[in-house]
Amino acid sequence: MMARVALIFAGALALAGGIVAQAQPAERSVWTGVYSAEQATRGKAAYAQNCASCHGESLSGIDVAPALTGSGFLNNWNGTSAGDLFTRIKTTMPLNAPDSLSGRTVSDIEAYLFQSNGFPSGEVALPPSPPMMAGIKIIAQKPQ
Ligand code: HEC
């Protein structure tokens, strides 16, 4: 009788272990809260100053430059990382003055782009450094 109880108990433990093993933290992505709301607010002001003249006040693009929200933009960046987008902005934008913005300003603007594309904010700000963002995937569709 005791042996049987022990066996059932061991089985239950193994089952619980399996469940814990499956509940590993999900991959870090733009859906896991990788910027802070406060940072996005700073980014909004920096965007208005440095980007809106070409990309439009509402990020929807105007004649001279493409939209930075919506499916076209997200398809271009789907499967890349936050670090890739950071480097693209830092080294090529503003088009008329590439590499003129500090890393912090660029990460603030990127946070604003994420917010405008419907990605949730979190506790911690997006760091101003591509290696620290390389593990943050840009995924257009919210994972299940
Ligand atoms: C003088 C006009 C101008 C300004 C100012 C400007 N851009 Fe651009 N941007 C463009 C043009 C034109 C393109 C498309 C051609 C290219 O890729 O170089 C572009 C492309 C981009 C892309 C790639 C879009 C895609 O779908 O892949 C991003 C991201 C971007 N800009 C971000 C920014 C940010 C952020 C700022 C402000 C820091 C900014 N741009 C300021 C003109 C501008």
Side-chain angles (χ1 to χ4, degrees):
M1 179 61 192
M2 279 305 284
R4 209 191 211 162
V5 169
L7 208 67
I8 291 168
F9 186 65
L13 266 186
L15 201 70
I19 290 165
V20 170
Q22 271 185 10
Q24 299 233 320
E27 178 181 45
R28 266 185 102 204
S29 79
V30 288
W31 294 102
T32 63
V34 295
Y35 69 90
S36 68
E38 187 196 18
Q39 180 181 32
T41 302
R42 285 199 305 269
K44 183 177 185 179
Y47 174 89
Q49 209 177 341
N50 299 291
C51 321
S53 59
C54 291
H55 290 279
E57 291 295 337
S58 59
L59 303 100
S60 51
I62 43 181
D63 289 348
V64 287
L68 301 179
T69 54
S71 55
F73 175 72
L74 289 176
N75 283 338
N76 286 346
W77 291 93
N78 189 35
T80 67
S81 76
D84 295 333
L85 180 56
F86 177 95
T87 301
R88 166 72 149 108
I89 296 170
K90 179 89 174 80
T91 59
T92 72
M93 295 290 144
L95 197 61
N96 48 347
D99 226 346
S100 62
L101 301 176
S102 72
R104 193 185 140 166
T105 300
V106 171
S107 61
D108 288 353
I109 292 172
E110 189 168 347
Y112 176 55
L113 297 189
F114 286 167
Q115 185 183 57
S116 303
N117 279 281
F119 304 133
S121 62
E123 299 296 317
V124 182
L126 197 62
S129 142
M132 292 177 75
M133 295 186 203
I136 302 172
K137 272 206 140 183
I138 298 177
I139 303 172
Q141 293 291 323
K142 186 173 186 173
Q144 294 300 306

